[in-house]
Amino acid sequence: MERPRKRELRGLNAKAWDGDRDVFQVDGNLDSSMKKNTAFIRRLRTTLNASTVSTILQEARALSLHKYLSEIISACYEGLIKLKVPADVAAGVEVFSALHQRFGPEEFTSYISWHIGRGLSTPDKTYLKSLAQDAREKEEKDRLARQRILLKVATELWLVGALRSLDDVRRPEDAAKSKENAKPKTASNTKADTADAEPFPLEVLKEILDHDGQHVNLSMIASFMKTFAWDLLGKRNASEDSQNPADGQPMTDANMRERFRNVLTRYYEGAKLHLIRDQASLETQSKRNAEAYVRSGEIFEDRQANYDKMVKAQERFISNMNTLSETLGLEMPDLKKEDAAGAASDGTIGLVKTGEYLRGEGEGPGIWEDEEERRFYENIIDLKDRVPTILLEDAKKKKGDGEEQVGKKMDEGVSKNINVEETADAQNEGQPKDDPASDQSMSIANKTTGAQVDALLARLPDITTKDTADQLAHDFCYLNSKASRKRLLKTVQDVPRSRSDLLPFYSRIVTTLGKYMPDITQGLVWHLDEEFRSLQRRKQKDSLSGVRTSNIRYLAELTKFGIVPEHVIFHCLKVSLDDFSRMNIEIICHLLENCGRYLLRNPETSPRMKSFLETLNRKKSAQHLGHQERLLIENATYFVDPPERAAIEQKERTPMDLFIRKLVYADLNKHNVDRTLKFVRKLHWEEPEVVRILHKIFLKPHRMNHIHIEDLASILGGLQRYHQDFVCNVIDDLIESMTLGLEINDFKFNQKRIAEATYLGYLYVFKAVESSVIFEMMFKIAILGHGDWPKPESMNHLDLPDDFFRIRLICTLLEICGVFYVKGQAGSKLDFFLTFFQYYIRTKEQMPMDVEFLVQDAFGVVRPRWKIAKTLEEAGDSFSQACKENADMATPNKAAEPNDLDENEDIDEDGEVSTRRTPLNVDAASSDDDSENAAPEDAIQSRSLGSEDDEEQHFVVTRTEEERDPEAEAEFDRELAKMMSESIEPRRNERRPMADLALPLRKNQRDATNKTEETNVAEPNPNTTKFSLLSKRGTRPQTRTIDLPSDSTFAVAMRNQREAERAEQQKIKELVLNYDHMRGNDDRTVGPGSPGVSADRAGGGTQRNLKRGNQASQGRKLQLSDVDW
């Protein structure tokens, strides 16, 4: 019923309580015929519902019902009891309000309220005790059904104002007396009487809940609160929102809602204690059932039925408590759910899983290795949801007989302790024989069905996934029959020895079908148990080891699916432990490795499993076992119960550390190298903590993506200009780390060592290290631990003949740095090293194919035409020849004169012309990230080299003129001009300090000096001094001559400076002349005939020295640092 209608009825009913008789309009001529009045009463009693409410209201207006008022009251009460759905309850409220408005509270409402109150009252306990058990249960059931309906009806009537309180109730026997002594009550009297009275539903709730010590009315209260949560407690539920989302006001005031809440809260607190007591009792009964199950292999039917009844009652109780707690806004008690107690709820087969605990969500380590394994063993499909139910009923007809037979077999195997001969006889008698009756029972009458079963069974060996196993179980349901199940059982029993991979899938199929076809699971478990006992009797036959392994693994897989009873699997462990032979040790280890963790982590089997492991360890220590047996036991126990270790503590990092790590490890890429360098340079380098963090990060290239190691080296090369000590420390520690890796030689550091070698190579590319460092490291990688050089017959534990990782390190460095060593001294060094490298390769065993390809690729990059030696003798001869040539070199190589080189090339220390990438210069870089990238990769490959190989040979560097594209040249000029303008733009507004800049040098300095002297001679005014002022017009510098007074401060300072320079030059000239004079006297003193000295040799040395001095004077310009200012 809609709330606007309820509020309308409340107003009309309030007028009726005030004595207004004209609220319900009736017809002028009322029909008093007995037939129609009797029909109206019958309709009230039997058909009071939503479909007949309009008819009943129309008859209530047209009939004269005063003569039959007592029958109408009883009929209306009986009709209200039969209301169930909300629409019928609303119809009953409409009819009740109409009768209340027509006849008033004195004639109708007060008497029917007595009937409602009596229906809601609790029966006397003495009366209930006098009844039999069945009658008492029936009475209790009828009372709950009646009170559930009447409580809702009474509350609806109270909300619309038809009922008020129990003070307005009158017994029907007092009707005659009330008619004689009736005095109409006024509105003031009625309000005074009901001002302090409890509302009708609240009084009824108190009566019901106060006498409910066992909380049997909890379901009724939960249903009641679902309906009236908003009106009585102010708690809106989903149903209220969907019915009338616009009406937001409950029909009771806040004071009344609080009174209802207090009554229900007291009841909820008592029910909470009851719930905890019942849960504890249920857990105790669960443990008793589990103990009985382990002892005898089954649970008695009466005990199991009693336990199932308790479980269902507890589930209903918890559900009702959840509803009540949500309505009242209170918390549920913390219950420890141990559902494993229902292990034998479906007969004698199965271990119950432990819910969240098995799924790894509970405390402690999970049973399964990963989520995929958990889904495989726990998420079993329900065939009832996929196939028609009629296909699953055939298997349930003989369920009772099958359980009884299998239970009897299991009890015999556990409870009886007989000797081997008796057991053997009993097993031989119990084994099924291939008699004609058995074959006939497995035959299928319908040949088409038999062919389909054959095709289905032929698919079993091809199962490789969980889905195919589930599909096969689903398809088998359409061929379900007793003969089909026997054939399937025989097939899954005979698993090929070499197909142990099928055991988990066969176990899943059996588990899926076993829920509705228990004879399959029972037959398979019985067969495996009998096979285990039979194999135990035949211990001496070693040829059956494969059968034993397959049998025990099958039992372990079924155990993880919850198919094998506890006593069966522990019986296998006990028998194997009693006879502690090599065969049984292997059986124990197979069981522990396959299902030991499941048994240990399962709360129901954990105590027994812990006891077994302790006994196993004690027996291992007490007996003298071989090394192999002892190792098997230790591995199995470690797998099942690994030792506890402290949790790994999460390292706390400072915000600065986290920022730098994110900047370098996460965000760094080739597009933001310059921007990252700017961020790094802006850090507080004066703080030791920041420097320490940067040092750690730049020293660990293996922590980042391998493709970004080049970017990290680029940043370190860019920092060399600003923090040279820091870069040197990083490079030193990097080389030390690589050396330490060679000394440790642990394979777990291989990835780190490859990253460090790559890092060092790129540091050379970005000019952070020189070529000597690279060659020294490559030689160290090959020689460390071998002495002078590797020898084929020597054994080095740091570099075994079958260890090729050092070759990978050298190839990594060669592929990065080798492209720069083409000619000159560096090229000679590389040739010598490659000769040694191929000798080092041949001192090892035959290389694997991947290492061989890696070597070929490295030689193809650095020396494409190099012919790699195929044998050790060839490599040794080449290396000996290279050593001889290297020893013959008497003097170091001479570099080409700088004047002969191109202006875009630079000379490194080895005499090589290098075009390596220039380290990043952030000051001259553009703000655009794309323009801040390093030089392209082609710059590494197109390296122009020019040097002199040795002292005896002289090479002339010639460069062929390349054909240049005019468009490319123009594009290059535009980009260069753009780069220069962008570099100058940020400094345009900077104020630069005054500096003494030198004038542009003339082509002929001597002529310039002469011109200056002539100018000075021609000076017309001796009181002034001429100076050249350097200025700039456009993009070209120019000079202007200005006259300054000779006595000005600037002119005096410049004159003094010039005189000091001339004096210094004169002093140097005198020293040189005196040195030459002294050298000439020494030569004349020694003479050509002096012993040990050759005149030609001495003269040649002097000539060479003079030649070198002339070359040095011609090729080197005077630096500012050469003069002692």
Side-chain angles (χ1 to χ4, degrees), residues 888-894 948-955 1104 1108:
D888 293 339
M889 296 182 181
T891 58
N893 299 335
K894 294 192 298 181
E948 300 179 357
D949 287 348
D950 50 39
E951 179 186 52
E952 303 296 333
Q953 299 177 356
H954 301 279
F955 291 88
R1104 283 194 296 269
R1108 289 181 180 178

Side-chain angles (χ1 to χ4, degrees), residues 96-338:
F96 190 98
S97 299
L99 296 176
H100 166 72
Q101 295 166 16
R102 176 175 177 181
F103 298 109
E106 294 83 4
E107 296 182 358
F108 176 78
T109 309
S110 58
Y111 298 112
I112 196 172
S113 299
W114 182 85
H115 287 281
I116 296 175
R118 187 184 65 174
L120 290 171
S121 62
T122 304
D124 190 11
K125 293 183 179 180
T126 307
Y127 169 72
L128 292 176
K129 290 181 180 180
S130 63
L131 298 176
Q133 181 67 24
D134 296 340
R136 189 184 307 122
E137 293 180 356
K138 185 177 182 302
E139 177 67 21
E140 191 69 15
K141 185 178 179 179
D142 295 341
R143 179 190 67 82
L144 286 175
R146 181 180 69 251
Q147 288 183 347
R148 185 188 302 270
I149 298 173
L150 286 179
L151 185 60
K152 292 182 180 180
V153 172
T155 306
E156 290 285 358
L157 293 175
W158 175 73
L159 290 175
V160 299
L163 294 181
R164 287 193 173 182
S165 66
L166 293 178
D167 296 341
D168 300 324
V169 174
R170 293 184 184 182
R171 295 174 60 87
E173 291 79 5
D174 299 337
K177 298 179 182 180
S178 63
K179 287 181 180 180
E180 295 175 358
N181 302 322
K183 294 182 179 179
K185 293 184 179 181
T186 61
S188 60
N189 293 335
T190 304
K191 292 180 180 179
D193 294 339
T194 60
D196 297 331
E198 293 284 353
F200 192 94
L202 183 61
E203 192 70 25
V204 170
L205 278 177
K206 288 182 179 180
E207 178 68 19
I208 293 174
L209 301 182
D210 289 345
H211 295 84
D212 188 14
Q214 298 299 322
H215 301 93
V216 294
N217 298 316
L218 182 62
S219 61
M220 178 182 67
I221 299 301
S223 176
F224 171 74
M225 294 314 301
K226 280 184 181 180
T227 307
F228 301 102
W230 177 242
D231 289 327
L232 300 184
L233 298 177
K235 181 76 174 180
R236 186 182 294 275
N237 52 26
S239 61
E240 290 286 338
D241 294 340
S242 61
Q243 288 176 2
N244 194 356
D247 190 2
Q249 295 296 329
M251 300 191 67
T252 55
D253 56 5
N255 185 22
M256 187 61 64
R257 293 196 297 271
E258 188 64 26
R259 293 166 70 179
F260 275 99
R261 181 181 294 276
N262 293 335
V263 173
L264 293 172
T265 301
R266 287 198 305 269
Y267 183 75
Y268 177 78
E269 294 297 332
K272 183 190 297 185
L273 299 177
H274 188 185
L275 177 62
I276 296 174
R277 288 197 305 269
D278 286 354
Q279 184 69 17
S281 176
L282 187 64
E283 292 174 0
T284 303
Q285 184 65 27
S286 168
K287 294 179 180 179
R288 292 177 182 174
N289 290 351
E291 294 173 359
Y293 181 74
V294 172
R295 288 195 305 268
S296 60
E298 65 176 352
I299 302 176
F300 297 113
E301 294 182 0
D302 56 344
R303 175 178 290 181
Q304 183 64 34
N306 186 24
Y307 177 77
D308 293 341
K309 184 178 179 181
M310 291 175 60
V311 170
K312 292 179 181 179
Q314 186 73 354
E315 290 176 355
R316 291 194 300 268
F317 200 94
I318 293 175
S319 177
N320 294 328
M321 284 290 290
N322 284 327
T323 303
L324 199 58
S325 66
E326 292 176 1
T327 306
L328 296 175
L330 302 176
E331 294 184 359
M332 279 284 292
D334 187 12
L335 302 177
K336 295 181 179 180
K337 297 182 179 180
E338 296 186 1

Side-chain angles (χ1 to χ4, degrees), residues 774-782 810 813-814 830 833:
I774 302 299
F775 282 110
E776 181 181 355
M777 178 53 63
M778 289 193 296
F779 275 108
K780 182 182 292 186
I781 291 173
I810 295 174
L813 286 172
L814 286 177
L830 181 61
F833 176 77

Side-chain angles (χ1 to χ4, degrees), residues 349 394-403 405-406 476 480-486 488-489 492-493 510 513-527:
I349 300 295
D394 183 39
K396 295 184 178 181
K397 293 181 179 178
K398 302 294 183 179
K399 181 178 180 180
D401 298 339
E403 290 179 356
Q405 182 180 1
V406 175
F476 180 80
N480 181 26
S481 65
K482 185 177 181 179
S484 300
R485 292 195 299 274
K486 285 188 176 182
L488 176 63
L489 179 60
V492 296
Q493 287 174 356
V510 171
L513 296 174
K515 185 176 181 181
Y516 300 99
M517 306 172 194
D519 53 339
I520 296 178
T521 56
Q522 294 163 1
L524 180 58
V525 173
W526 180 84
H527 168 77

